[in-house]
Structures are given as C-alpha cells and as structure tokens.
Amino acid sequence: MTNGQNSDKSAFLIFGHNGLRNRLAMILNTCDMLRMSWDDELAELSNRHHRNCERKLACSSKPPKTIVGLNRESQLQQKMFSGNSTHLARNHFFHDNIYSTNFIESAVGNWYMEHTSVEFPTRTISNENDYYQLMGDNSFTHIINPQTYRVGCSYARFPNGLSLICYYFPYVRNTNNTLLLRLKPKDYQCPYNFPISDPVFKRLCGYAVYL
C-alpha cells in the first residue's frame, strides 16, 4: 500500500484507527490523543515482513510485538527512521477466507476487542495532572497509544487466507507496560506541536505545519 497503491484500503485503515481512538477518548474523557496519518516507510516495513512469510504460520502465529531490541529488524528501522526513536509496535491479523469482503473491518475490530484482555484503567495523579493508567501491551494498546501518530500497513493474499500487518510509530510506554491517558481539563488545548482539533474526530489532535 505504498506510493498511493490501494489508497482506498489505506484510507479506510486510517479512518478506522482514528475512529476508534476518538471513541476511546470520548468514553474516558481523555485528551492528548493524536490523529494518526499514513506512513509509506512503515507500509514498506510491513510489506517486507509479508515478503518473508513463506506460509500462514510465519505471519499469523507471533503475538503483537513492541520492537526495541537491536536485531536485524530494528537495524532496518534505524536506517529507515534515522534520527528518531526505533520504538515501534506491530499488529497481525490472518483470516482463513480469501473471499472475505470485510477483512479490514474484521482485522481492526479484532485488534480493538483485545481491550477485554486488559484491566479497566485506574485513576492516578502525575505532575499534578489526572490520568488513567492502563496496564498491558497488545493489539489494543498499539492502536490507542495517545502518542502514536504514524501507521503503515501491508495487505497480502495467501493460498489459505488473507493477512494484514500494521506497524505503528512511535510506541511510547513506561518500562512496566503502562500507558497514561490524561483526563481532559476544562481549559485544555491540544499539545503545542499537534495544536489543531480534527474536523471529523473532535477529540483527536492534528499536526500543524508552520510556513
């Protein structure tokens, strides 16, 4: 899905991710949730992952992953994202029906439903701000991490099914797999580097380009 190929699928993925992020921010009344945008380098990384899958097991058996080690994969990331943190997250979904007409909806929906495997976030105070503290690291947390704002995916058809791989950047979390979701104060504005509220998803903050 790089360079505008299958732009309908990439646009649908972005819309789905941002819709779910916006939904969570509204339900929990949190702020600082950044709007995701498409990244061709992450899409190419996902595409390379698919090219190395020789059979279904290679793409579907591994759990969602947060990548921080200095292995061959992260060396590629350092080359592709020079000057940035190489903390990425990766989600997989495999469906055993090559004729599925709602494959992407099923993939993103299944990832989001992994919220049932983490405890409901607890309230905590940090630097005089009120937060929800969410423990865990899975497909759900990869989608809703507030500081993640870039996503790129690859869609592949195998003889025995369909596969979707998405990479997320940056994936910022505490060492104990904790995400902090800040509760929205009355006078809140978006972060200074993402100061624009999205016109569709009102609880998401967008990047501004200053000329």
Side-chain angles (χ1 to χ4, degrees):
M1 285 189 260
T2 58
N3 300 318
Q5 300 178 74
N6 295 300
S7 57
D8 57 332
K9 289 184 175 63
S10 57
F12 193 75
L13 279 162
I14 290 294
F15 192 85
H17 277 76
N18 283 330
L20 292 174
R21 288 164 70 83
N22 188 69
R23 180 177 185 272
L24 184 77
M26 291 181 65
I27 290 173
L28 296 181
N29 193 32
T30 60
C31 59
D32 298 334
M33 186 72 78
L34 305 184
R35 180 183 64 210
M36 278 193 177
S37 59
W38 188 259
D39 190 291
D40 269 349
E41 290 180 326
L42 291 175
E44 176 58 26
L45 191 61
S46 304
N47 188 30
R48 294 184 188 192
H49 190 129
H50 264 141
R51 283 188 227 148
N52 289 325
C53 294
E54 297 178 355
R55 55 196 175 94
K56 168 188 170 181
L57 185 64
C59 273
S60 63
S61 63
K62 294 180 181 179
K65 185 176 182 181
T66 302
I67 302 142
V68 295
L70 294 177
N71 51 28
R72 180 180 177 185
E73 188 170 39
S74 62
Q75 290 171 7
L76 170 62
Q77 294 155 15
Q78 289 175 354
K79 180 179 179 181
M80 296 175 70
F81 300 100
S82 57
N84 290 323
S85 166
T86 57
H87 288 217
L88 303 178
R90 181 179 71 221
N91 283 355
H92 300 87
F93 184 75
F94 194 92
H95 190 46
D96 290 316
N97 181 359
I98 64 172
Y99 303 107
S100 174
T101 58
N102 62 345
F103 170 64
I104 290 179
E105 296 98 312
S106 297
V108 178
N110 271 269
W111 291 341
Y112 190 79
M113 282 302 296
E114 289 192 19
H115 71 79
T116 59
S117 65
V118 296
E119 296 291 334
F120 191 85
T122 57
R123 295 280 288 268
T124 186
I125 301 292
S126 178
N127 296 324
E128 300 182 355
N129 289 312
D130 211 1
Y131 290 89
Y132 276 118
Q133 181 175 264
L134 178 65
M135 299 285 293
D137 180 25
N138 60 15
S139 297
F140 168 70
T141 65
H142 295 171
I143 287 179
I144 59 89
N145 190 317
Q147 298 179 63
T148 299
Y149 64 94
R150 292 163 66 183
V151 59
C153 305
S154 175
Y155 172 95
R157 186 187 300 272
F158 290 86
N160 53 352
L162 302 174
S163 175
L164 181 69
I165 294 175
C166 290
Y167 276 83
Y168 302 90
F169 175 87
Y171 189 65
V172 181
R173 62 195 172 91
N174 294 337
T175 54
N176 60 349
N177 285 337
T178 300
L179 296 181
L180 292 178
L181 310 171
R182 187 156 77 98
L183 270 71
K184 185 178 184 297
K186 291 182 180 179
D187 58 348
Y188 174 74
Q189 299 294 320
C190 284
Y192 75 95
N193 52 341
F194 287 82
I196 301 175
S197 295
D198 187 89
V200 177
F201 302 113
K202 305 296 185 181
R203 300 302 291 268
L204 302 187
C205 300
Y207 182 70
V209 177
Y210 297 101
L211 303 178

